[in-house]
């Protein structure tokens, strides 16, 4: 059994009806357990389609999605188990939020699990506090900002405590404060052992946040590895139209004799500290 990967895609082909090209072209890639993975790729590269396969909303037309090394069978029982262990936060919170306030929405999923009301209330309070939504618990969802709606959608998924959470463009259109609140919540659940995966085309965010990177291009996996491995391959990224993160661009433009043996710094703070140290010599 493969215990290192939380989910794996093996040659997954998926073609939406009435479209010219497949959205996933024999996609083979693994999502490592316990990590913070960023799935990078420009629009249309297959990120959302990959995520819809991860929760069994879409099924491979060829190939398989594997959990614990075993191909999903899509029986009702297995789908129910899959959805308990894998949670997807949609890009558009309107697709996810169904009830009228954050508290009602976040409780809704838990009611189906047979938990008692006191435990549901406690779980909801924790999650809403963690995502800085406690003061908005009873506010009509249609009055929330996009950042608040996105955090509410995440809260609903987090409350179910899945082993793996996938977030589709969680920070797109968010202001810096909302983005920080979202990322802080993700760090907390990651520290508790949840595998966190986000699709993004924010290269700077991926560089500082992720510890594993998957690069999709035209429905295939172009590269997978640590941020250091992926972002050192400047030409490969540029060939598929992705920019280098600013800090990586700066770092890899420094003379190699200066940076030799140093791990590439992934935050501005680390960058300044390393540079100060190197230039002091
Ligand atoms: N519901 C759909 N119907 C038809 N084609 C779709 C649909 N959703 C996505 N596609 C197509 O599938 C490809 C992959 O899309 P998607 O998975 O949404 O990529 P990404 O999330 O990386 O932008 C694109 O060519 C897109 O136009
Ligand atoms: Mg998408």
């Amino acid at each position: 059994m493969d215990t290192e990967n939380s989910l794996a895609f093996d040659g997954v082909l998926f073609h939406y009806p009435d479209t010219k090209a497949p959205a996933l072209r024999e996609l083979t890639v693994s999502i490592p357990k316990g990590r913070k993975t960023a799935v990078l790729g420009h629009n249309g590269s297959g990120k959302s389609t990959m995520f819809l396969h991860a929760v069994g909303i879409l099924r491979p037309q060829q190939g398989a999605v594997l959990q614990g090394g075993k191909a999903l069978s899509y029986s009702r029982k297995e789908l129910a188990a899959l959805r308990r262990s894998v949670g997807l936060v949609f890009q558009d919170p309107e697709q996810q939020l169904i009830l009228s306030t954050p508290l009602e929405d976040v409780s809704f999923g838990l009611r189906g699990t047979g938990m008692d009301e006191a435990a549901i209330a406690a779980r909801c309070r924790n999650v809403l506090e963690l995502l800085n939504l406690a003061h908005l618990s009873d506010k009509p969802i249609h009055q929330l900002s996009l950042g608040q709606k996105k955090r509410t959608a995440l809260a609903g998924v987090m409350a179910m405590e899945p082993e793996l959470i996938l977030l589709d463009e969680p920070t797109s259109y968010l202001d810096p404060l909302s983005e920080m609140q979202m990322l802080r919540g993700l760090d907390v659940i990651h520290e508790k052992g949840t595998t966190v995966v986000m699709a993004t085309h924010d290269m700077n965010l991926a560089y500082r946040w992720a510890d594993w990177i998957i690069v999709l291009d035209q429905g295939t996996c172009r590269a997978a590895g640590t941020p250091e491995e992926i972002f050192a391959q400047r030409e490969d990224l540029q060939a598929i139209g992705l920019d280098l993160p600013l800090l990586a661009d700066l770092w890899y433009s420094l003379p190699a004799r200066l940076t030799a043996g140093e791990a590439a710094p992934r935050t501005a703070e680390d960058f300044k500290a390393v540079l100060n140290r190197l230039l002091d010599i």
Side-chain angles (χ1 to χ4, degrees):
M1 197 172 98
D2 191 352
T3 49
E4 283 194 301
N5 293 321
S6 127
L7 272 186
F9 291 70
D10 182 17
V12 173
L13 177 93
F14 186 84
H15 203 148
Y16 288 99
D18 306 320
T19 57
K20 258 193 4 227
L24 299 181
R25 303 176 194 237
E26 305 191 12
L27 174 67
T28 296
V29 69
S30 301
I31 296 174
K33 215 174 231 181
R35 287 191 180 248
K36 298 198 281 189
T37 295
V39 180
L40 301 177
H42 48 73
N43 276 338
S45 57
K47 303 181 295 296
S48 298
T49 307
M50 172 182 164
F51 283 7
L52 292 170
H53 278 78
V55 286
I57 292 175
L58 296 179
R59 298 179 192 192
Q61 292 157 350
Q62 205 180 287
V65 178
L66 294 89
Q67 189 179 33
K70 197 170 134 279
L72 298 178
S73 73
Y74 301 95
S75 67
R76 265 179 67 175
K77 200 172 145 214
E78 210 186 68
L79 271 181
L82 178 70
R83 294 199 178 135
R84 274 195 302 278
S85 61
V86 183
L88 172 60
V89 183
F90 287 86
Q91 176 170 8
D92 176 7
E94 308 291 345
Q95 272 186 283
Q96 198 131 24
L97 302 173
I98 40 179
L99 293 180
S100 51
T101 67
L103 180 61
E104 287 172 17
D105 202 89
V106 175
S107 335
F108 177 75
L110 292 172
R111 295 239 155 75
T113 64
M115 244 170 129
D116 67 61
E117 282 300 315
I120 291 176
R123 175 89 64 94
C124 288
R125 208 167 38 241
N126 282 343
V127 172
L128 290 167
E129 260 166 31
L130 176 65
L131 290 167
N132 201 21
L133 290 164
H135 61 298
L136 301 169
S137 295
D138 299 314
K139 190 165 171 148
I141 281 179
H142 69 264
Q143 290 177 12
L144 301 182
S145 71
L146 178 67
Q148 292 164 343
K149 284 182 187 167
K150 283 206 167 211
R151 295 207 306 282
T152 304
L154 171 59
V157 173
M158 262 167 66
M160 306 299 287
E161 300 188 346
E163 292 160 30
L164 165 64
I165 289 194
L166 305 147
L167 302 105
D168 202 349
E169 314 260 2
T171 63
S172 56
Y173 309 112
L174 293 193
D175 58 63
L177 179 64
S178 292
E179 176 177 309
M180 199 188 71
Q181 290 171 335
M182 166 80 74
L183 295 176
R184 220 166 29 205
L186 293 181
D187 278 347
V188 170
I189 54 167
H190 175 253
E191 277 155 27
K192 284 192 196 158
T194 311
T195 302
V196 185
V197 181
M198 74 162 71
T200 181
H201 39 233
D202 184 338
M203 304 296 279
N204 292 313
L205 168 63
Y207 191 60
R208 68 168 197 277
W209 178 82
D211 56 19
W212 191 255
I213 305 277
I214 291 170
V215 183
L216 293 191
D217 179 45
Q218 297 181 38
T220 62
C221 174
R222 278 289 285 249
T226 62
E228 291 79 4
E229 286 163 353
I230 298 296
F231 293 116
Q233 308 299 320
R234 174 195 304 249
E235 288 79 17
D236 292 0
L237 288 172
Q238 285 170 342
I240 57 170
L242 293 176
D243 287 331
L244 217 56
L246 180 61
L247 291 181
D249 194 12
L250 289 173
W251 181 255
Y252 294 110
S253 67
L254 293 172
R257 63 184 159 76
L258 193 66
T259 59
E262 292 284 340
R266 285 165 48 193
T267 65
E269 288 311 308
D270 287 352
F271 198 104
K272 284 184 245 175
V274 174
L275 215 52
N276 273 325
R277 187 158 47 75
L278 292 176
L279 296 178
D280 257 345
I281 297 168

